[in-house]
């Protein structure tokens, strides 16, 4: 069986939101919205997630989202 890959387009600047909504906690456990998507993907059998992000957000994205997920699923990045 081929490796299932979740592709998450997360390069938005959040200008109307007022910041990077990708790293803004959405619940009392400080989970991000992306955490829910990846959790569901893992349960559905996905083995890898590729985040499409802006290069200028790479370090903060890797420190926050990537670090949280890399023990659960293979994480890669592509740049817009």
């Amino acid at each position: 069986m081929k490796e299932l890959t979740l592709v998450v387009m997360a390069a938005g600047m959040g200008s109307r939101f007022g910041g990077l909504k990708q790293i803004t906690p959405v619940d009392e456990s400080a989970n991000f919205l992306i955490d829910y998507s990846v959790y569901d993907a893992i349960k559905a059998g996905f083995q890898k997630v590729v985040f499409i992000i802006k290069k200028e957000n790479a370090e903060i994205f890797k420190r926050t989202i990537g670090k949280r997920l890399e023990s659960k699923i293979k994480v890669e990045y592509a740049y817009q």
Side-chain angles (χ1 to χ4, degrees), residues 1-8 34-51 69-75:
M1 184 171 158
K2 290 187 177 185
E3 180 179 68
L4 294 174
T5 302
L6 174 67
V7 177
V8 178
I34 287 176
D35 292 333
Y36 289 96
S37 300
V38 174
Y39 173 81
D40 288 341
I42 292 169
K43 286 188 72 168
F46 285 72
Q47 296 90 25
K48 180 169 72 171
V49 59
V50 176
F51 293 108
L69 299 174
E70 54 195 25
S71 66
K72 298 168 181 60
I73 191 169
K74 183 177 177 184
V75 177

Side-chain angles (χ1 to χ4, degrees), residues 2 8 11 17-18 21-23 27-30 34 36 43 46 49 52-53 57 60-61 64 68 70-72 74:
K2 290 187 177 185
V8 178
F17 182 74
K21 59 186 159 208
Q22 301 91 323
I23 59 169
D27 65 13
E28 63 280 345
S29 298
I34 287 176
Y36 289 96
K43 286 188 72 168
F46 285 72
V49 59
I52 301 173
I53 60 174
N57 296 333
I60 192 163
F61 206 90
T64 55
R68 295 164 75 113
E70 54 195 25
S71 66
K72 298 168 181 60
K74 183 177 177 184

Side-chain angles (χ1 to χ4, degrees), residues 13-19 21:
M13 295 174 18
S15 53
R16 288 178 292 173
F17 182 74
K21 59 186 159 208

